[in-house]
Amino acid sequence: MTVFSKIIAGEIPCYKVAEDDCFFAFLDINPLVKGHVLVVPKKEVDYIFDLDDETLSQMMLFSKRVAQAIKKTIECRKVGLTVIGLEVPHAHIHLIPITHESDISFANPKKKLEAKEFEAIASAIAANCNV
Ligand code: AMP
């Protein structure tokens, strides 16, 4: 079971943003910027392009709705999307509010936030999210 499956099962805590039958969104614990969200399929597949076509398409639509909520909540020019997946073997999309190209560089130091800040960001995005 991956760390993300444990989060989805409620065995590990997270700052949840949105959920439906097939997907789960929560704050990245080592965010590049405030509002950095991960979207994960409940189906446990390592490599995103091994997902079946239907799941991959629906994952993009779910991500769109979460990105719209991030955009409403966090001041930014756009919400960028990237996939890396070298650390956690469970397919996921990073949604990152950006104003400059450098905001989405994984070479940047990660933000350190207090639990209260994570909670406030997650609940504000969740309140703007229609999944
Ligand atoms: P990657 O697999 O390279 O896309 O990186 C995995 C991402 O998941 C990193 O940005 C981590 O900060 C994030 N991450 C790992 N464990 C957790 C966790 N328990 N809760 C939230 N985010 C996590």
Side-chain angles (χ1 to χ4, degrees), residues 2-113:
T2 67
V3 63
F4 291 166
S5 288
K6 288 180 183 168
I7 286 174
I8 292 163
E11 292 173 14
I12 290 179
C14 75
Y15 300 100
K16 181 176 157 182
V17 164
E19 178 177 13
D20 72 4
D21 288 348
C22 300
F23 304 100
F24 196 93
F26 56 101
L27 296 184
D28 192 304
I29 204 70
N30 299 303
L32 283 174
V33 294
K34 288 182 185 181
H36 180 165
V37 170
L38 301 177
V39 172
V40 179
K42 291 186 174 176
K43 197 178 283 186
E44 195 177 289
V45 170
D46 175 1
Y47 181 44
I48 193 164
F49 295 123
D50 284 336
L51 287 168
D52 61 87
D53 289 359
E54 177 65 14
T55 304
L56 184 58
S57 322
Q58 291 302 323
M59 189 174 176
M60 190 56 73
L61 295 178
F62 182 89
S63 298
K64 174 182 177 178
R65 292 190 284 277
V66 175
Q68 287 167 332
I70 296 171
K71 183 83 169 49
K72 270 192 201 165
T73 312
I74 306 284
E75 198 174 310
C76 61
R77 274 185 62 200
K78 293 189 174 178
V79 174
L81 179 159
T82 191
V83 174
I84 301 179
L86 293 176
E87 186 188 316
V88 178
H90 187 149
H92 52 282
I93 288 174
H94 293 258
L95 296 176
I96 302 172
I98 52 173
T99 299
H100 307 286
E101 189 183 315
S102 58
D103 294 339
I104 204 166
S105 168
F106 278 78
N108 291 341
K110 306 301 185 292
K111 289 258 182 301
K112 297 275 178 232
L113 304 179

